[in-house]
Amino acid sequence: MTVLRQPTLSVSEVAADSGVAPSAVRFYESHGIVTAVRTTGNQRRFDTSAACRIQVAKLAQRVGLSVREIAELFTDLPPDPQPEDWQRVAGQLVTEVEQRVRHLKAQLAAMESGAKLCEIGRAEPAR
């Protein structure tokens, strides 16, 4: 049975633990990457998984995922993620990165083919 941790960390504590500015913690909260509860004094309090979530989000951003895609990746992540939960997220990230690398290699090959760039651009399907 998973025991939920009480949200006890302030914005500045999460920021320090995750290596980001406090404004970044609020940014990630506004996009659903981390979740806070409000105290009676209206202060945000985060659980101990918040810093890890932000660090994973930063990694995912470095490999090209948008904040929206990261929030979707975290949709099924429980409030108190266990190692197997993070392993599932890692597997999804690896799959996504491999797909992006394949796509980039195909684009590079097309650019090196000698074809006109405007023709290569036209061949790309709309997103």
Side-chain angles (χ1 to χ4, degrees), residues 56 73 84-96:
V56 172
L73 183 68
E84 59 273 9
D85 299 314
W86 288 119
Q87 192 61 37
R88 180 184 49 77
V89 169
Q92 291 173 308
L93 276 173
V94 167
T95 298
E96 182 64 31

Side-chain angles (χ1 to χ4, degrees), residues 5 11 19-21 28 31 42-43 45 53 57 60 62 66 69 71 74 76-77 89 103 114:
R5 298 179 189 139
V11 170
V20 300
Y28 286 121
H31 286 86
N42 204 29
Q43 294 179 334
R45 289 291 184 249
R53 287 172 187 263
R62 285 195 302 268
S66 69
E69 290 169 319
F74 285 2
D76 296 328
L77 200 58
V89 169
H103 177 75

Side-chain angles (χ1 to χ4, degrees), residues 64-76:
L65 273 70
S66 69
V67 175
R68 183 183 50 172
E69 290 169 319
I70 297 164
E72 289 173 11
L73 183 68
F74 285 2
T75 298
D76 296 328

Side-chain angles (χ1 to χ4, degrees), residues 47 59 81 94-95 118:
D47 67 31
L59 170 65
V94 167
T95 298
C118 56

